[in-house]
Amino acid sequence: MGIAATVRKFIATNGLGMALFMVLGVSFWVLVLVVLPQITMVDFSFRPKLPPAAIGGPQDVYTTANYEYFVKGNPGNPEGWNRVDVTVFWRTLVAAVFVTVFNFVLCYPVAYYMAKVATGSWARLLALSLVVPYWINEILRAFAFRIIFGDAGLINTVLKTLGVIDVSIDFIRADVALYAGLGYAYILLMIFPLYSAIESLDKNQIEAARDMGSPWWRIHWRIVMPFAKQGIVSGCTMVFMLSAGALAAPQILGGPSSLWFTQIIYQGFFEYFNWNRGAAYAIILLVSCMAIVLGVTKLVGGKAGEIGR
Amino acid sequence: MKSGVGVELENLWIKFGDFTAVRNATVRIEEGEFFSFLGPSGCGKTTILRTVSGFQEPSQGVVRIGGRNMAGIGPNKRPTALIFQNLALFPLMQVWENIAFALEVKGVPKAERRKRADELLELIALPGQGDKLVDELSGGQKQRVAVARALAAEPQVLLLDEPLSALDLKLRQHMRTELRAIQQRVGLTFIYITHDQGEALTMSDHIAVMREGVIEQVGDGKQIYDDPASAFVASFVGENNDFAGTVQAVDNGQAVVATAVGELQARIATAARGALKPGDSAMVFIRPENFTIVEAAKGNGDGNRIAATIANEEFEGQSYHVFLEGEGGAAIKMSLTNRGQARTASAVGQQVTLAYSPDQAVALPAGAMADEE
Ligand SMILES: Nc1ncnc2c1ncn2[C@@H]1O[C@H](COP(=O)(O)OP(=O)(O)OP(=O)(O)O)[C@@H](O)[C@H]1O
Ligand SMILES: [Mg+2]
C-alpha cells in the first residue's frame, strides 16, 4: 500500500477530525513530551557549567567532564575516584534490585490468590482494598510510614507493650522504613501485571498438573510462572525503574547516612545549581537501569517489547 | 503399565450451596472396562468426574477406587488421570515435555523421561513429533498427546471429559475407534463423559444415562437403546416416536395404551414391570426404523397399526425419512434403509397405515422427556 493510500484509509476509518487529532496528539506527545526533554538532557550533560552570560560563548563546547566527574571526582581528589557518588550509585541499584525482589515475593502470592482463588465480591473487595491507599498522595503516604516506623510509632509501641523490646528500634536509621516504604509504594505496579497475566491462565492447566501428582511449588515453577513471564518481567521492570528513580521516599524515609542516587541528582540540580552535572548523573542512572532491565530480560528469554505489557 | 481397577460410587451426593448437582448416584464400574456417563448439558457429568479425580469433595457418599475409600485423598495422590474437555496441554512446553510431565514430577532423569515419551508417542501413532510445540499440532494430534500425557502418569483409571467434542465429525469418528483401541491395548479402566449418545453407544461396555443429577439407567448400549428404563432415556438415546396415553390392559409383559392415534400395544420395559396398571398414564415409544408401511388404508384395532398421512420426505443417503401426521396431529417419523429400491410410491398427502411389531415398541410410565433440540 502506498503512503497516499495508507493516509486515505486512515482518514476513512477514523474520520478527518479524529485522524487529525490522533496525528497531532501523538506527534506532540512523542516529540514535545518524550523526545525533546531527553535530547535537551543529553545535550546539557555534555556541556560545562557556565554562568548565563557565557552560554553560547566560546567556552560552551561539548565535553565529557560531567561524566568524568562521576568516576573521578574533583581533579585534586586524593582518592583518585569519586567514592561518595559511585558508592551511592551502586548501593541504589542494589537496593532497587532488593526492593524489586522483595516486592515480587510479596506480590506473587497475592496476585495468584486474586486471580485464581478468590471469587466474586470478595475478589473485588480485595482489589479495592489494594487500590484505596493510593488515593492518598505519595508524600503523605511516606510520612505515614515515617510515623508508623518512628521512635514512638505504632510498631515500636506495640513491640514495647508486648515486651519484645525495651528500647525503640531505629527503623529509619536501619533503612527498614525506606525499604518498606519503597516496596509499598509500587505494590500495585507489581500486582496488576502479575494479576492480569495469571488471570488469563486456564485453570485446567493448574488442575492437570496437580492431577499428575505435581506439588504446588512445581506447578508454580513449571506452569504458572512461565505463563506469567511477561507480567513478571513488566512488573519487575516498573518496580525496579521506579524504585531506582524514587525521590520522595528516600528523602522522607531514608536514614541520615543513606543517600539515594536520585538525591545526589537532585542536589546537582537544585543545591549546586549544576544542571549539567545533574543531567549527566540522571542519564547515567537511566542508562544503567535500562541496561540492567534489558540484560535480565534477555537472560530470562523474554523480548524487549514485552516490558511495556 | 499397571492394569485397571474398578471404581464404585456409593450413594453419592454433590451439592454447591443450595444446588444439588448429583443426587444419590450409585454405580459400579468394573476394572478394565470402558464406561460412559451420558446426559445432556448441565446434568452433572463433569461434577461426577471431578469427584472421582479428587477435585471435588462429595457432600455425602463414598468414592472407592480399587476398593479403597478415597475420602481425604487429593487429586495428586489418586490413581486416576483426567483428560480435560479442553485438553489443558501445557502450551509452553514441547510435546515430549508435556507427555513426560508426570515423570518429571516423580523425579525421573531426563534421558529416561525422553525415552518414555518417545515410546508413548509411538503408541499414539505420532512418532518423532516430540520436539514440536503443542500449538504446532492438529486438533486430533493434540487429542492423542493428551491421552499420552495421561497414560504417562501410569494411572489405573483414565477419566475423559468430552475429549472429542471440539473435533469435527470425521475426526471424531476416527478418534472414537482410536480411543477404544488404545483402551483395549492398555487395559485400563476408562470413564468417559459425553452428551453424544452415538459416541457412548459405539465405544462403551456400559453406559450410565443421567438427567438433572440423577442416574436414570445403567446398562450396555443394547439395553439402553432397546430397553430404556425411563421416558427420559427412551427419548434421549436415539430417535423415538412417543405417544402419550392411558393404560387399558396389562397382559403377559405387554400393555395396551389408549393414545391419540388409537390403542397401541407395546412391550413393557423391564424397569417398568409391575409398575404399570390399567388407568396409569403411560408412554409408548416406537423407533422410526421399527415402522413399516402396509398398503391397507386403515387397519384399526389390531393394536399395532397407526393410520397416518405423509407430510414430508427427507433423503439422507443411506436412509431416508418419512414424516407423517397421525390422528390428532401427532408427528410421526419413520426411517427406511435406502437399498436403491424404488421408493414406495408415496407422495405427500397420501394416507397410509404404519405397522410395527409390539415387541419393538416400549411402554413406560409417563415422565420427563429429553428436550428436543
Ligand atoms: N463450582 C460450581 N459451583 C456451582 N455450581 C456448579 C459448579 N460446578 C457445576 N455446577 C453446576 O452443576 C451442574 C452440573 O454441572 P456439570 O459441569 O457437572 O455439568 P455437565 O453435565 O458436565 O454439563 P456439560 O455437558 O455442559 O459439560 C450445573 O448446573 C452447574 O451449573
Ligand atoms: Mg461438563
Side-chain angles (χ1 to χ4, degrees):
Chain A
M1 207 163 17
I3 292 173
T6 315
V7 170
R8 237 177 288 126
K9 180 146 182 282
F10 185 70
I11 292 175
T13 39
N14 297 294
L16 181 63
M18 193 61 198
L20 268 179
F21 179 77
M22 271 162 37
V23 169
L24 290 179
V26 170
S27 323
F28 176 80
W29 177 52
V30 171
L31 289 178
V32 179
L33 299 180
V34 179
V35 176
L36 236 108
Q38 298 294 345
I39 290 180
T40 316
M41 288 292 280
V42 173
D43 183 63
F44 257 63
S45 74
F46 283 104
R47 288 177 189 277
K49 185 194 174 199
L50 295 169
I55 289 177
Q59 284 173 290
D60 198 356
V61 288
Y62 284 119
T63 163
T64 53
N66 296 313
Y67 293 92
E68 281 166 34
Y69 182 86
F70 170 72
V71 182
K72 294 192 196 139
N74 281 319
N77 180 0
E79 283 188 303
W81 64 297
N82 192 342
R83 174 188 284 279
V84 174
D85 291 1
V86 173
T87 317
V88 170
F89 172 74
W90 180 242
R91 215 179 43 212
T92 301
L93 290 185
V94 172
V97 168
F98 175 75
V99 167
T100 307
V101 171
F102 174 73
N103 226 327
F104 174 74
V105 171
L106 209 68
C107 292
Y108 179 82
V110 178
Y112 181 81
Y113 181 84
M114 280 170 61
K116 286 286 166 248
V117 185
T119 48
S121 54
W122 166 236
R124 280 192 294 277
L125 195 72
L126 199 67
L128 193 70
S129 69
L130 282 173
V131 174
V132 165
Y134 292 86
W135 294 350
I136 298 165
N137 181 288
E138 182 194 358
I139 294 175
L140 288 183
R141 253 184 293 128
F143 275 113
F145 264 78
R146 201 179 167 99
I147 294 168
I148 292 171
F149 282 103
D151 261 0
L154 182 73
I155 295 178
N156 272 319
T157 314
V158 168
L159 289 179
K160 274 187 198 158
T161 321
L162 291 177
V164 181
I165 52 168
D166 300 327
V167 188
S168 288
I169 299 174
D170 194 344
F171 289 114
I172 309 272
R173 184 175 289 277
D175 279 335
V176 174
L178 175 59
Y179 289 144
L182 275 177
Y184 186 68
Y186 307 118
I187 269 186
L188 287 191
L189 295 173
M190 183 64 93
I191 284 189
F192 281 110
L194 287 181
Y195 170 82
S196 67
I198 297 173
E199 221 260 334
S200 59
L201 172 63
D202 176 13
K203 202 171 179 173
N204 286 348
Q205 287 195 18
I206 300 170
E207 291 193 338
R210 187 152 169 66
D211 191 48
M212 279 176 283
S214 180
W216 283 111
W217 65 265
R218 192 188 291 273
I219 292 178
H220 284 282
W221 181 244
R222 286 291 273 149
I223 314 289
V224 186
M225 284 189 191
F227 183 85
K229 193 169 75 189
Q230 289 174 16
I232 295 172
V233 166
S234 78
C236 288
T237 302
M238 278 199 265
V239 170
F240 173 73
M241 289 295 232
L242 288 173
S243 3
L247 183 62
Q251 292 274 50
I252 298 164
L253 294 171
S257 61
S258 74
L259 267 179
W260 209 248
F261 194 65
T262 47
Q263 289 171 290
I264 292 183
I265 299 175
Y266 182 86
Q267 283 170 0
F269 277 98
F270 296 108
E271 281 170 31
Y272 309 135
F273 297 102
N274 190 340
W275 282 44
N276 306 87
R277 190 189 294 162
Y281 275 34
I283 282 165
I284 288 171
L285 181 63
L286 180 69
V287 169
S288 314
C289 286
M290 276 166 56
I292 291 174
V293 166
L294 290 179
V296 173
T297 309
K298 206 164 192 92
L299 210 68
V300 300
K303 293 186 205 71
E306 289 167 358
I307 291 170
R309 284 197 210 144
Chain B
M1 182 153 292
K2 292 175 186 164
S3 59
V5 295
V7 176
E8 287 163 76
L9 310 182
E10 206 177 283
N11 303 109
L12 200 67
W13 290 74
I14 303 161
K15 294 178 185 158
F16 299 109
D18 297 339
F19 178 77
T20 304
V22 174
R23 42 182 90 228
N24 205 16
T26 299
V27 185
R28 220 190 124 75
I29 298 165
E30 300 295 335
E31 56 189 64
E33 78 166 328
F34 197 117
F35 190 97
S36 293
F37 283 93
L38 170 66
S41 189
C43 70
K45 306 181 297 288
T46 298
T47 307
I48 284 198
L49 214 60
R50 290 177 63 81
T51 310
V52 175
S53 58
F55 288 110
Q56 177 72 46
E57 280 291 313
S59 313
Q60 220 176 297
V62 181
V63 175
R64 263 190 222 98
I65 301 179
R68 219 171 86 193
N69 189 336
M70 287 288 130
I73 298 179
N76 50 348
K77 299 268 164 22
R78 295 195 183 190
T80 58
L82 176 59
I83 297 180
F84 291 79
Q85 185 155 2
N86 65 355
L87 304 184
L89 294 173
F90 307 131
L92 300 175
M93 295 185 199
Q94 289 172 318
V95 166
W96 81 267
E97 287 180 292
N98 261 282
I99 294 176
F101 186 76
L103 303 175
E104 184 185 324
V105 169
K106 287 183 192 148
V108 175
K110 187 169 175 186
E112 209 170 309
R113 293 200 309 253
R114 179 76 214 218
K115 190 164 150 277
R116 183 80 186 111
D118 285 339
E119 283 167 19
L120 282 161
L121 281 165
E122 203 78 42
L123 176 83
I124 57 167
L126 284 178
Q129 309 265 30
D131 290 322
K132 285 190 173 172
L133 282 174
V134 169
D135 283 333
E136 291 164 2
L137 299 180
S138 74
Q141 291 173 331
K142 281 184 197 166
Q143 174 56 57
R144 282 179 274 177
V145 170
V147 173
R149 186 179 69 171
L151 291 177
E154 306 218 323
Q156 293 171 302
V157 180
L158 199 64
L159 308 169
L160 303 97
D161 189 354
E162 306 205 30
L164 304 186
S165 58
L167 307 182
D168 62 53
L169 182 68
K170 266 263 150 43
L171 193 53
R172 202 155 67 222
Q173 285 170 341
H174 174 71
M175 284 306 301
R176 280 180 196 173
T177 329
E178 199 126 312
L179 273 181
R180 183 71 175 150
I182 290 175
Q183 190 259 340
Q184 278 161 353
R185 218 172 314 153
V186 298
L188 295 184
T189 311
F190 273 42
I191 303 183
Y192 191 90
I193 276 188
T194 180
H195 61 252
D196 180 334
Q197 35 114 358
E199 214 162 276
L201 291 175
T202 46
M203 296 199 288
S204 320
D205 295 314
H206 287 99
I207 302 169
V209 185
M210 289 186 71
R211 181 180 79 91
E212 290 179 8
V214 177
I215 295 179
E216 299 234 327
Q217 184 173 7
V218 180
D220 63 26
K222 221 169 138 39
Q223 285 167 344
I224 301 256
Y225 192 81
D226 290 339
D227 192 16
S230 70
F232 172 79
V233 175
S235 56
F236 186 72
V237 180
E239 281 192 273
N240 237 330
N241 293 292
D242 54 274
F243 305 93
T246 313
V247 178
Q248 299 293 305
V250 175
D251 176 38
N252 198 18
Q254 299 221 334
V256 176
V257 181
T259 71
V261 295
E263 290 195 346
L264 301 178
Q265 192 182 346
R267 182 179 56 83
I268 299 173
T270 312
R273 291 274 154 84
L276 280 182
K277 303 180 299 296
D280 287 354
S281 32
M283 292 230 155
V284 173
F285 292 93
I286 307 170
R287 302 231 177 245
E289 66 269 23
N290 289 340
F291 279 123
T292 50
I293 292 179
V294 292
E295 293 306 327
K298 192 157 172 105
N300 221 349
D302 289 11
N304 60 355
R305 304 212 159 190
I306 300 171
T309 311
I310 295 178
N312 200 2
E313 275 191 341
E314 199 176 73
F315 179 65
E316 201 200 74
Q318 66 166 337
S319 59
Y320 64 96
H321 310 293
V322 186
F323 296 90
L324 308 105
E325 200 179 301
E327 231 158 281
I332 303 171
K333 178 179 179 182
M334 75 174 288
S335 301
L336 299 163
T337 309
N338 177 23
R339 295 199 182 82
Q341 78 273 40
R343 283 189 246 161
T344 37
S346 62
V348 171
Q350 191 187 332
Q351 295 215 336
V352 294
T353 298
L354 299 176
Y356 66 91
S357 154
D359 279 345
Q360 293 174 335
V362 176
L364 279 161
M369 306 271 283
D371 296 329
E372 300 291 329
E373 70 265 30

